Amino acid sequence: MEFLQSLIFIILPLFFSTLHLLKLIFRPKENCCYMLNYECYKATDDRKSDTESAVRVVMRNKNYGWEQYKFLFRTMVNSGIGEDSYVPKIVMDGKEENPTLSDSLEEIDDLFFQTLDNLFSKSKVSPQEIDILVVNVSLLSPVPSLTARIINRYKMRPDLKVYNLSGMGCSASLVAIDIVKDMFKVYKRKFAIVVSTESLGANWYCGNDNSMMLSNCLFRSGGCSMLFTNNPDFKNRAILKLSHMVRTHFGANDEAYECCIQVEDDKGYLGFRLTKKLPRAAAQALTVNFKVLLPKILPIWELVRYFLVYMWRGKKKGTMGLNLKSGVEHMCIHPGGRAVIDGVGTSLALSDYDLEPARMTLHRFGNTSAGGLWYVLGYMEAKQRLKKGDRILMISLGAGFKCNNCVWEVLRDLKDPNVWEDCIGKYPLKIMDNPYGEKYGWINEEYLSFIRLEDCVFAS
């Protein structure tokens, strides 16, 4: 028996090493997808959602009662979001109950053209040189399309390949990049633009269903424009190279499909429902995705170690998890919320250092939907963490339910402070105090439940 076990320990590593070498030798050569630059959106300071402005937005909703106030302020306190995130102009102007199409388009245009103007200027690439354009905005799909607005603004070429994605949720950014990657297999030496954001103002929930009020507490204005190429002549100008991409759609599962969905409440108010089934759906989708992705990115010795430990200890005594840091240096996790970040961190045995970029992004910018990953990447760059040769694992989760993950290779040392320039020095925060709790924590006191809301005077 001991001889057999020793034989297994010798043969298995040799077998997997040989298999890995054969894959490297006979693997077909793939086209490269280089990222040249990315530009995140930053709204003006008058749209910052500090404590007082948030309270004003909440207090003017006549559908709320005492229980809704308690729920909202408890959620705000535990959200992990600070006072510097941005809300749509529609909401700041008090028009969230009756938004117009013009309001929505103005919101989107501001983000599109700010980020694209900066991207073209920084990259020294003309809009007329772009060959592929992919735009993802889940909750706004006008006619002409949003891609057409960009084409008209920049007078882009008529032979441009155009894709307009809607309904893809928070993981849409990597869906768009996957489309670019596939297009690069057919079209050589091309430039591609991906614009990733969300339309929030016209989709602000004005009802009083707790599961739908959550989205108002978590989602904030933000987005990103990115420039890609498969032209090897631009490799020296590129910052990242796409190494792997795996997309998982768990929509066949009813609980997963319904855990994150746009619906109308009983009173006809349209909103986005987030249910308690979401963490379970996320865990299941992530597990399915990792079964495909991890064998591609982890070293063979780590896979062998995990297999041997699993076989040796068995399920009864527990198993040692895979060490993700043996295959990647950085974790770029979608800042979907405090529970999402902590849940991913716990399940993957990540350190506070690994989770810091996502946590600080959530605190500074909130959940900016599909654009959130790029604020996390920007934090790592501003902190000068990203060095040539490093690998970044991006983890995105979104409605559907989808889990889309990819790995990037850093092609040169990165240190652009980007949208973090004015505040990176104060991060990471040692104590994540929330001002809502300090100023309005009294609202959760049971002995005050007899007070009439119309008699209350809130700071403004």
Side-chain angles (χ1 to χ4, degrees):
M1 185 62 182
E2 291 182 1
F3 173 76
L4 182 60
Q5 289 178 347
S6 300
L7 191 62
I8 291 175
F9 270 82
I10 295 172
I11 292 176
L12 278 177
L14 290 174
F15 172 76
F16 282 109
S17 298
T18 304
L19 184 64
H20 184 64
L21 287 172
L22 289 174
K23 284 183 178 180
L24 291 175
I25 294 172
F26 295 104
R27 182 176 60 185
K29 187 176 181 181
E30 297 180 352
N31 289 295
C32 292
C33 179
Y34 298 111
M35 174 183 276
L36 294 179
N37 265 312
Y38 66 101
E39 189 70 27
C40 292
Y41 174 73
K42 192 173 184 180
T44 52
D45 287 348
D46 60 338
R47 286 172 52 188
K48 283 187 176 181
S49 179
D50 58 18
T51 310
E52 283 70 31
S53 62
V55 168
R56 285 197 297 271
V57 172
V58 171
M59 291 301 297
R60 66 175 176 242
N61 190 323
K62 303 305 180 183
N63 292 312
Y64 292 163
W66 193 263
E67 290 304 315
Q68 282 75 39
Y69 283 100
K70 291 170 65 176
F71 172 80
L72 277 171
F73 287 115
R74 185 167 61 248
T75 302
M76 290 176 182
V77 168
N78 297 322
S79 68
I81 301 177
E83 292 192 286
D84 293 326
S85 60
Y86 305 102
V87 298
K89 186 175 184 295
I90 298 174
V91 177
M92 278 299 190
D93 292 344
K95 300 170 64 177
E96 65 269 20
E97 287 202 42
N98 299 291
T100 65
L101 177 60
S102 295
D103 291 328
S104 298
L105 294 176
E106 181 183 351
E107 175 189 353
I108 289 296
D109 285 349
D110 182 44
L111 186 144
F112 279 0
F113 304 142
Q114 181 198 113
T115 58
L116 286 171
D117 285 350
N118 292 339
L119 185 68
F120 289 132
S121 175
K122 180 191 294 184
S123 305
K124 308 302 180 185
V125 173
S126 165
Q128 288 69 43
E129 295 180 80
I130 304 302
D131 305 283
I132 301 165
L133 173 64
V134 186
V135 173
N136 65 263
V137 179
S138 291
L139 301 175
L140 179 64
S141 185
V143 178
S145 68
L146 295 174
T147 50
R149 298 181 72 80
I150 295 174
I151 294 169
N152 179 260
R153 165 65 179 259
Y154 294 102
K155 309 305 178 188
M156 302 170 92
R157 300 198 323 260
D159 62 342
L160 184 72
K161 309 302 179 186
V162 179
Y163 297 86
N164 198 97
L165 307 180
S166 64
M168 291 293 174
C170 295
S171 62
S173 188
L174 297 192
V175 176
I177 293 173
D178 195 40
I179 290 176
V180 169
K181 176 179 71 72
D182 289 342
M183 292 288 287
F184 280 169
K185 294 178 182 179
V186 179
Y187 300 98
K188 310 300 181 183
R189 307 175 76 85
K190 302 298 183 182
F191 287 112
I193 288 283
V194 169
V195 184
S196 187
T197 185
E198 190 52 272
S199 172
L200 295 181
N203 294 282
W204 196 266
Y205 177 62
C206 297
N208 58 11
D209 185 315
N210 285 2
S211 65
M212 300 171 72
M213 288 158 56
L214 275 172
S215 61
N216 292 353
C217 299
L218 293 175
F219 287 99
R220 295 292 184 267
S221 297
C224 185
S225 292
M226 297 149 267
L227 176 62
F228 301 91
T229 186
N230 61 346
N231 189 337
D233 294 343
F234 286 84
K235 180 179 179 180
N236 291 334
R237 289 175 53 183
I239 60 174
L240 301 174
K241 175 185 175 183
L242 183 62
S243 300
H244 303 283
M245 171 81 74
V246 175
R247 290 168 52 189
T248 299
H249 203 304
F250 212 60
N253 181 288
D254 290 341
E255 284 188 358
Y257 174 80
E258 295 172 356
C259 75
C260 189
I261 188 170
Q262 187 182 28
V263 294
E264 290 181 342
D265 66 13
D266 295 339
K267 297 179 181 178
Y269 288 103
L270 184 66
F272 212 73
R273 174 172 290 151
L274 305 173
T275 75
K276 294 180 180 180
K277 304 294 184 182
L278 197 154
R280 176 178 170 82
Q284 291 174 322
L286 185 62
T287 299
V288 173
N289 186 282
F290 272 4
K291 286 181 179 179
V292 179
L293 179 62
L294 294 189
K296 298 180 178 181
I297 66 174
L298 295 182
I300 193 67
W301 55 263
E302 173 61 19
L303 298 174
V304 172
R305 182 200 64 79
Y306 175 78
F307 175 78
L308 293 177
V309 170
Y310 181 87
M311 293 295 294
W312 185 264
R313 294 186 177 182
K315 292 185 178 180
K316 292 183 179 180
K317 295 183 179 180
T319 59
M320 187 180 299
L322 285 164
N323 178 18
L324 295 183
K325 300 302 290 291
S326 65
V328 296
E329 285 73 33
H330 307 283
M331 310 297 297
C332 188
I333 302 168
H334 169 59
R338 194 175 190 174
V340 172
I341 297 170
D342 291 347
V344 171
T346 300
S347 61
L348 301 182
L350 301 179
S351 66
D352 288 340
Y353 179 84
D354 297 324
L355 299 177
E356 178 189 308
R359 285 172 172 164
M360 298 307 112
T361 297
L362 181 67
H363 183 272
R364 174 61 180 87
F365 293 100
N367 180 353
T368 53
S369 189
L373 284 172
W374 308 102
Y375 291 89
V376 180
L377 181 71
Y379 179 89
M380 291 190 284
E381 181 174 3
K383 283 293 184 182
Q384 300 186 25
R385 289 188 178 192
L386 305 178
K387 306 300 181 182
K388 182 177 180 180
D390 285 356
R391 294 152 298 178
I392 307 165
L393 172 60
M394 278 190 171
I395 299 176
S396 69
L397 303 161
F401 192 86
K402 295 185 289 295
C403 176
N404 302 322
N405 302 331
C406 69
V407 176
W408 299 92
E409 178 188 349
V410 181
L411 298 182
R412 54 188 169 90
D413 292 356
L414 302 180
K415 53 185 178 180
D416 183 357
N418 53 81
V419 290
W420 290 90
E421 185 173 12
D422 64 342
C423 61
I424 193 63
K426 74 175 185 179
Y427 288 102
L429 299 176
K430 294 182 179 180
I431 301 176
M432 299 284 281
D433 284 337
N434 191 298
Y436 298 102
E438 180 182 347
K439 296 180 181 179
Y440 298 100
W442 55 266
I443 203 168
N444 284 312
E445 298 293 342
E446 291 297 332
Y447 67 86
L448 295 175
S449 60
F450 69 90
I451 296 177
R452 296 186 307 166
L453 292 175
E454 57 265 30
D455 295 333
C456 295
V457 178
F458 291 84
S460 62

